[in-house]
Each structure stands twice: as C-alpha cells, then as structure tokens.
Amino acid sequence: MLSKALLRLGGGAARHPWRVVAAWLIAAALAVLAAIAVGGRTADSMTAPGLDSGRAAELIERAGTGQEGMTAQVVVTPLDDGATFFDHGSARTALTRLQTEVERLPHVLGASDPAGALDAGGDTAVRGGLVSADGRIAVVRVQYPDQSRLSADDLDALVALGDRLRAELPLRIEMGGNLFYAFSGADGGASELIGLLAAATILFLAFGSLVAAALPIGMAVFGLTVGVATMTVLAGVTDVPTFAPVLGSMVGLGVGIDYALFVLARHREYLARGLDPHEAAGRAVATAGRPVIFAGGTVVVSILGLAVANVPFMTVGGLAVSIVVLIMVVASVTLLPAFLGAAGPRLARAGRIGRIGRIGPALRTGKPTRPARRRDPAAGAARAAGWRRWIGHVSRHPVPYAVGAAGLLLTATLPVLGLRVGLPDDGSLPHSRTERRAYDLVAEGFGPGTNGPLVIAADPTGDPGVLDRLVGAVAADPGIASVAPAHIDRATGIATLVVFPTTSPQDKATADTIARLRTDVLPAAIGHGPARAHIGGAAASLSDVGQRTSQRLPALVATVLAMSFLLLMLVFRSILVPLKAVLLNLLSIGAAYGVMVAVFQWGWGGALIGLEATVPIVSFIPMFLFAILFGLSMDYEVFLLSRVREEYLRTGDNGTAIVEGVSRTARIITSAALIMVAVFLSFAVAEDPSTKMFGLGLATAIFIDATVVRMVLVPATMTLLGRTNWWLPKWLDRILPHGPVGTDDPYDPDDSDVRVTQGHPGS
C-alpha cells in the first residue's frame, strides 16, 4: 500500500535526517561533477522530420555549399557619423581587417567580403547585399558547419573577437545570426533568485517562522541543483533546447515549494496534536505525500505527452523538464521529512497555514455517519469563518456567480481567436542586446527581410531550364525584395537561391509569402517534370515547426483531457465531477492564452514586463503550457474535491459538503497558488520574450485556477448539480477498480481513508 510505504519512508528520513541529507549532498555533488565531465551546452535545433524545410536542408547538404550549417553576421558602421566607407580609407581598411580576423576563427568555413563588394561599385544588388546603398552599413556574413560540429565555444570566440576589435577599430560592431540563437545561454538566473526571494517572503508571512519558511526553499534548491545538473548531462547526449533550463527552473521551483508546503502544513498539524516530530513527519508524508506523487506524476505524464507533436526539440525539452519535476517529487518525500525531523519541535508554533484544519475524517464504508472527533471545533470554525462565509454566499447565489465567472473567463479567452504563432526575431529583444542592435542596423540598411533570408534548394534533374523559371517566378512575387545569384554545385547539379523577403522574419506576411511560394509559385515554375524545389532557411524552418505544433495541439489536448477525465473518475467515482473539472481547466487555460495574446500580440501592458515590441506567440509555447498547466491543476483539483467528497460521505448533504470542503482547503490552495504565481511572474521580467511568455502564461493560469475557478466556479457549479455531482452508473461502478481517495491519515482511527464502495451516496 502506498500510504504504508510513504509512512516508512518519511518516518525513516525524519529519524535519520543527517543520513538522508548526506545522501542528497552526495547525489548533488555527483550530478554536478557528471555535468562538468560529460555534460553539454544547450542548443536549439528548430527542425522536425517530414517538413519541407528539412527536405531543403537535405538538398543543401548534398550540394555541399555550406549553407546547411550555422551562420552569424557581423554588422558594422563607422563611428564617425559623417563618414562613409566610400570616402574614408581608414574605415575600409578596418572593414578588411575585421573580415580577415573573423575568417581565422575556429570552424569558420568562410566570411563574405564587403570591402571587395565596395570595389565592385554599383548599387546594393551588385554589391551582393553586403553594403547598404548609402555605403553606411556593411555586413560580414560568417558561415559555420552544421550545428552538430559546433559548441558554445564558437559563439564565445566570435563575441570575444568583437569585444577586442571594438577597442581597436573605428567601427561600431554588432553581431547576430542563428549562431547566437542556438548557443546563447538562457537568462533565467536573476529570475530564479527573485522567485526564491518572493517564495521565501510568502512562506514567512504564512508560517510566521524563519525555520518553517526555510525548509521548502532549501528542499527546492537541492532539487533544482540535481535537476539542472542532470539536464546538463542529458545535453551531452542530445540537443537540449535553451529554454529547457529556464522552464525547468520555473516549474521546478513552483511545484517543489508547492509540494513542500502541503507536506509541511500537514506536519505542523500533527505536531499541534502532540505527536512526536518523527511520527508527525512520517504521517505527513503518508497523507500529503500521496497527492504530491499523484500531482507530480500527472505533470510528468502530461509533459511527456508532448512527444505527440513529433518535434524532437519539444520532446527532449519536455523530458528535461519532467526530470526536474520528478526529482522535486522525490525530494518532497525524502529530503523534506529529513529536514522536518532535524527541525524537531521548533515547527510546532502555530502559523497561519499551520493552523489549517485537518483535511477531515471519512468513512471506509463510504456511507454517511457522525462527524469524527475534532481537535478544537470552535477554533476550527473561527479559522475557516471567512472562507466559509464566502463559499456559503456563492452557494446561495450559484447562477449569477457561475454565469458571471464563466462569462469573465470566456471574455478573457476571446483574444485567442486572433492567436498567431511564430517565433520572435531579434527585433523583439531589448536594445541592450547586440543581436537587437545588429538587427536594427540590417533592417535600416537593407530592409527588414534581410534579417531572415530564405534558401531555396532546387534539383533541376531532367529539366535544365527550370532554374531560370524559378528565379524569374520568385523574383516576381510581391513578397520578395531580391534574389541573390544562384549557386550551382557542379557535382550534383543542385542549385541554391538566397531569397530576401520584403518583411521581417516574425511578420505574418513572411509566413504568407513562404506558403504562397510553396503552393503557387514553385509548382507553377517547376511544372510536372522531375525537377523539385524546397524552401529552407531559419524563417522557413520556424514557420514549419509552428504549423506542425498547431496541427498536433488538438491531439495533445485530446490525450491529456481523456487521461485527466479517467483519473478523476477513478478517484472520485463520478462522471460529472471529472467532466466539470476538465471543462473548467479548459476555461482557465483558455483565459491564460487570451491574456498572452493581448499582451504580446496586441501590446496591452507589455511595458510592465519590459516588452519593447509586439511579437507572435512562440509556436511551441501553447502546447507546453497546456501540458504543464493541466498537470498542475490536477494538484488543486484532487486536494479540494477530495475534501468535498469526504464531507459529502460524512454528512450526505451536498451543500454542507461544498461549503465545508472548499472553505477548509481554500487557505492552503490560495497560499500555494500565490507562491507559484510569484515564482512564475519573476520570470516574466526576463529579457527573452519566450521566457516572458512562459512566466506570464503560467502565472495567469494558476492565478485564475486558484481564484475564479476553485473559489467561485467550483462551488457554484457543484451547488447547481447537487447530488448528481456524484452520479456514477452502477454497472460502471462495478467494473472500475476501487482505491483510496483523499489526503487523510489511514493510521488515525479518527482520520481514516476514504474508500468508495457500492452504496455510496448518489450511486
């Protein structure tokens, strides 16, 4: 039985705390050493099998042009505002030296020569797009091999060269390109510290004790250290996306402190009853540890469901985040009870959350009976009086509250109708980043589309005239600004065309141009012959991945919804309770999506989180958020509804069960949610727009779920449904397995397991 195993595990950890702490210290040290020895750096590879951009990359690789590899660009302009490259020899000399030194960097296959293009004269097209028409801005395009042969050291070398040459040359030097995108470190460090400080403050206010507040923080830090180090080891085996450590830290801190809060609150209850600290810790793990394992397991399974997208970087990213969550669950039932045992009776002083009423007695028979013994009924009533009044008020007016809250969430969801997925380009970064400054210079000198060129790979086999038709058709498209001269590989005959759109990489018009080229322009130019052509490049790859995730999102949603429904039906022996839970979770997640669209696409309140420009929603974020949020919402769902179920079995009265169940869990749910919201919001102020989206989306959904949904919609809808909340067809009840429900203590005769059997109310 899980409860007995957890009782032994938690009690043993509490009786031998320093052994457990030493084991975790050894585990953390080994993980860190392994990360140093065999770990890798995170890297983004926005590709997926079966996409048109992937087929283009295969042709380019066959041609051996080097264009299938990584690129960077060094953008320069004279420091003297009145100078141009044409009339200042010193500037031209400096440009030549810059190009030469860049070409000498390790792994660089080649670098363009804007100084040589200047000597060719003519307009911008004649200069190969390397020098602007006014001669004020030049670009050194740097070609690297495939990402698999590179590392963050190559980016560091390029950045170091730029830093050195800025001090030696009369040039303003800025840098960008997909080398930065692939190997730039995630910017979550400061956010993690802010999140920890916010969580510590909330815990101290809740418990009124520095020791009590420090224990969840200490556990989370241990778990995060092991989790991130393990993620680094994973990066040495496969490509772990750069967002994974940030998202892992965000979710890991949130769930780790959240789970620790549940166990710690239960532990303080038992201490207040007069139990020995070791026994109290064991019982706390045996009771609160069960929903922790259930909730954590649900989060892990939901995130691993991202594999249905068939996008490798999402699958690996989900695996990396799941590892962190799993480690936090293990820490909650091993390391935390060790801390509790070491703290001893010092945690017995009552704090606000420490005084939360017991989760409540229930009957093994599943039949209503008399209330079990209470420690202090008067004190318990006083503690929950405020929440009881509120829930009672909602239950007396269920229709207006249900309609009003649902209407509010549906209104917040409306912006989702305008959701546009994509990937923010460097133009969305703050001006303090060199990538943003390079982006602006290129857009100023050559047009916004130059920041995201497309690469068309064509195999003209059997149709020698197809290349001329392709060039003419593509150049005539209204979304294309220019087409660079084709490069033809003599050995394979494969041609590559570098094409510059008229719009920026993140602009919807660019995605429309790519789609139009694929569906209309290229097929018309190629005809029905054996020749073929595909569109690649970073902008095309990101557009393809966005379409793939959008197509696969319904499959993920259906899978997670079905899994959640079945799990809740097994736990609560009901059809309507899990159905209602699924629908309400969809409302809260939809509202979070709507807020993200309003902030990031429409710019509403964007300045409050440091957003300098509107951006599309990152293509993979809606799928990640759905998987994570549905897992997290199961935590509160089980915790709250278990208590309502217990009260219903005890009293047989639906109204009383709702008021008592929700009011007695409201304080801990809202406090736990407040900690999660604080942690997630700390990431919403990061520089990277993707990190902002994760932070704001998670914080918004958790806030809505713990307030509007749990404290308004749940009591209102359950009041309207009445006894039918617990309806389950008898034939289904007979075939479903029976198991324990709730977070009660199976080792206390006055706090017994809830086991639902035939004959339960409402069957």
Side-chain angles (χ1 to χ4, degrees):
M1 182 178 176
L2 178 60
S3 296
K4 290 182 179 179
L6 290 175
L7 179 71
R8 290 192 297 268
L9 182 64
R15 290 184 180 88
H16 307 285
W18 301 117
R19 296 181 187 177
V20 177
V21 172
W24 271 91
L25 283 172
I26 293 172
L30 290 176
V32 171
L33 289 175
I36 295 173
V38 299
R41 295 283 292 269
T42 58
D44 286 313
S45 179
M46 296 294 181
T47 59
L51 299 177
D52 188 68
S53 54
R55 298 186 185 100
E58 292 171 2
L59 283 179
I60 295 170
E61 187 173 4
R62 277 181 53 198
T65 63
Q67 289 175 320
E68 75 278 7
M70 303 295 293
T71 60
Q73 57 184 16
V74 182
V75 189
V76 294
T77 188
L79 288 175
D80 181 2
D81 289 341
T84 67
F85 290 134
F86 288 107
D87 55 17
H88 282 71
S90 60
R92 184 174 304 194
T93 301
L95 182 60
T96 301
R97 179 185 167 190
L98 171 71
Q99 185 262 342
T100 302
E101 297 216 24
V102 166
E103 219 166 15
R104 292 174 180 168
L105 289 173
H107 297 133
V108 170
L109 300 178
S112 61
D113 182 11
L118 277 171
D119 294 333
D123 58 17
T124 305
V126 174
R127 302 187 205 121
L130 300 178
V131 183
S132 62
D134 60 4
R136 292 281 307 133
I137 298 171
V139 178
V140 177
R141 294 196 173 92
V142 190
Q143 186 66 54
Y144 286 90
D146 184 77
Q147 182 174 334
S148 62
R149 289 180 277 174
L150 301 175
S151 70
D153 293 338
D154 294 286
L155 175 61
D156 295 340
L158 180 63
V159 171
L161 175 64
D163 291 340
R164 176 169 63 83
L165 293 182
R166 284 188 186 98
E168 299 175 3
L169 301 178
L171 301 174
R172 175 187 167 190
I173 302 174
E174 307 296 350
M175 299 180 176
N178 57 18
L179 185 73
F180 282 80
Y181 180 79
F183 295 110
S184 290
D187 59 343
S191 297
E192 292 167 14
L193 180 59
I194 295 171
L196 283 172
L197 292 175
T201 302
I202 295 169
L203 286 168
F204 176 73
L205 293 175
F207 287 110
S209 164
L210 285 174
V211 175
L215 296 187
I217 299 296
M219 188 212 79
V221 170
F222 261 98
L224 202 60
T225 300
V226 176
V228 173
T230 305
M231 196 182 298
T232 304
V233 174
L234 180 64
V237 179
T238 185
D239 287 338
V240 175
T242 55
F243 66 80
V246 175
L247 185 58
S249 299
M250 194 186 310
V251 176
L253 283 177
V255 301
I257 296 173
D258 216 26
Y259 297 162
L261 176 62
F262 290 152
V263 176
L264 179 57
R266 191 70 178 195
H267 175 72
R268 285 165 66 96
E269 279 187 50
Y270 288 124
L271 289 179
R273 294 184 190 183
L275 270 67
D276 174 81
H278 300 156
E279 184 179 359
R283 290 197 178 190
V285 173
T287 54
R290 281 186 295 172
V292 164
I293 291 175
F294 177 85
T298 305
V299 173
V300 169
V301 172
S302 297
I303 297 176
L304 290 179
L306 291 166
V308 303
N310 195 24
V311 178
F313 79 87
M314 290 183 61
T315 302
V316 176
L319 174 62
V321 175
S322 296
I323 289 173
V324 178
V325 174
L326 186 61
I327 289 172
M328 287 298 183
V329 171
V330 175
S332 299
V333 297
T334 58
L335 182 59
L336 182 61
F339 285 164
L340 299 178
R346 284 177 291 177
L347 295 174
R349 292 192 299 273
R352 293 173 187 165
I353 292 190
R355 292 176 175 175
I356 293 175
R358 292 160 51 198
I359 299 305
L363 297 175
R364 293 185 183 277
T365 62
K367 298 178 180 179
T369 187
R370 63 179 178 83
R373 171 176 53 84
R374 298 287 179 180
R375 205 171 14 120
D376 185 351
R383 287 191 295 270
W387 283 111
R388 187 177 289 109
R389 285 193 298 270
W390 168 252
I391 302 304
H393 173 71
V394 172
S395 298
R396 288 190 297 272
H397 307 86
V399 174
Y401 276 105
V403 173
L408 175 65
L409 295 186
L410 286 172
T411 301
T413 304
L414 286 177
V416 173
L417 298 176
L419 185 145
R420 180 172 67 87
V421 298
L423 194 77
D425 54 32
D426 288 345
S428 61
L429 295 174
H431 285 89
S432 58
R433 297 275 292 269
T434 185
E435 302 101 294
R436 169 62 186 273
R437 297 192 296 269
Y439 178 97
D440 290 343
L441 281 175
V442 170
E444 175 188 341
F446 305 94
T450 311
N451 282 296
L454 308 176
V455 181
I456 298 178
D459 183 356
T461 302
D463 189 354
V466 70
L467 186 58
D468 291 336
R469 297 199 304 272
L470 274 177
V471 172
V474 171
D477 187 88
I480 300 301
S482 62
V483 178
H487 180 281
I488 302 175
D489 179 61
R490 293 183 178 180
T492 63
I494 295 173
T496 53
L497 298 172
V498 178
V499 178
F500 298 97
T502 58
T503 49
S504 68
Q506 72 176 22
D507 198 314
K508 182 179 182 299
T510 302
D512 294 340
T513 296
I514 295 171
R516 186 172 58 254
L517 290 176
R518 285 174 172 161
T519 57
D520 300 331
V521 177
L522 298 190
I526 293 175
H528 300 289
R532 57 195 178 106
H534 303 285
I535 302 177
S541 296
L542 296 174
S543 177
D544 289 350
V545 169
Q547 290 183 2
R548 168 69 62 83
T549 55
S550 297
Q551 292 168 356
R552 298 295 174 90
L553 181 59
L556 174 69
V557 170
T559 302
V560 173
L561 291 183
M563 180 187 68
S564 302
F565 179 84
L566 290 174
L567 286 174
L568 290 175
M569 184 173 64
L570 286 171
V571 171
F572 295 112
R573 320 297 295 183
S574 166
I575 295 292
L576 294 181
V577 163
L579 180 60
K580 172 187 61 64
V582 164
L583 294 177
L584 295 185
N585 285 341
L586 281 175
L587 272 180
S588 63
I589 294 174
Y593 285 177
V595 170
M596 288 172 57
V597 171
V599 172
F600 291 96
Q601 287 185 209
W602 300 352
W604 293 5
L608 297 177
I609 57 173
L611 188 68
E612 297 187 3
T614 57
V615 294
I617 303 301
V618 177
S619 57
F620 54 83
I621 284 183
M623 188 173 276
F624 258 101
L625 284 185
F626 185 86
I628 293 170
L629 289 170
F630 230 93
L632 293 179
S633 67
M634 293 291 285
D635 189 351
Y636 300 144
E637 190 74 32
V638 172
F639 191 73
L640 185 150
L641 291 181
S642 294
R643 187 65 177 102
V644 175
R645 175 70 169 165
E646 292 166 18
E647 291 294 333
Y648 181 66
L649 293 174
R650 181 177 66 84
T651 65
D653 182 82
N654 186 68
T656 300
I658 294 169
V659 173
E660 290 297 315
V662 178
S663 63
R664 289 187 178 276
T665 55
R667 185 182 292 112
I668 193 169
I669 286 177
T670 52
S671 298
L674 182 60
I675 290 173
M676 273 204 180
V677 169
V679 170
F680 294 152
L681 280 181
S682 68
F683 285 83
V685 297
E687 286 188 348
D688 182 64
S690 301
T691 305
K692 291 180 185 291
M693 288 182 196
F694 275 125
L696 183 64
L698 289 169
T700 302
I702 292 297
F703 176 79
I704 291 172
D705 187 77
T707 54
V708 179
V709 172
R710 304 292 161 211
M711 302 306 147
V712 179
L713 276 173
V714 167
T717 54
M718 293 190 76
T719 299
L720 292 172
L721 291 172
R723 291 175 62 88
T724 56
N725 278 301
W726 313 109
W727 173 75
L728 184 71
K730 291 183 179 180
W731 64 268
L732 184 58
D733 185 43
R734 285 193 296 269
I735 65 175
L736 288 177
H738 291 259
V741 181
T743 59
D744 44 290
D745 187 348
Y747 306 101
D748 185 341
D750 293 321
D751 198 9
S752 58
D753 241 355
V754 177
R755 293 184 184 275
V756 183
T757 63
Q758 62 269 21
H760 65 271
S763 63

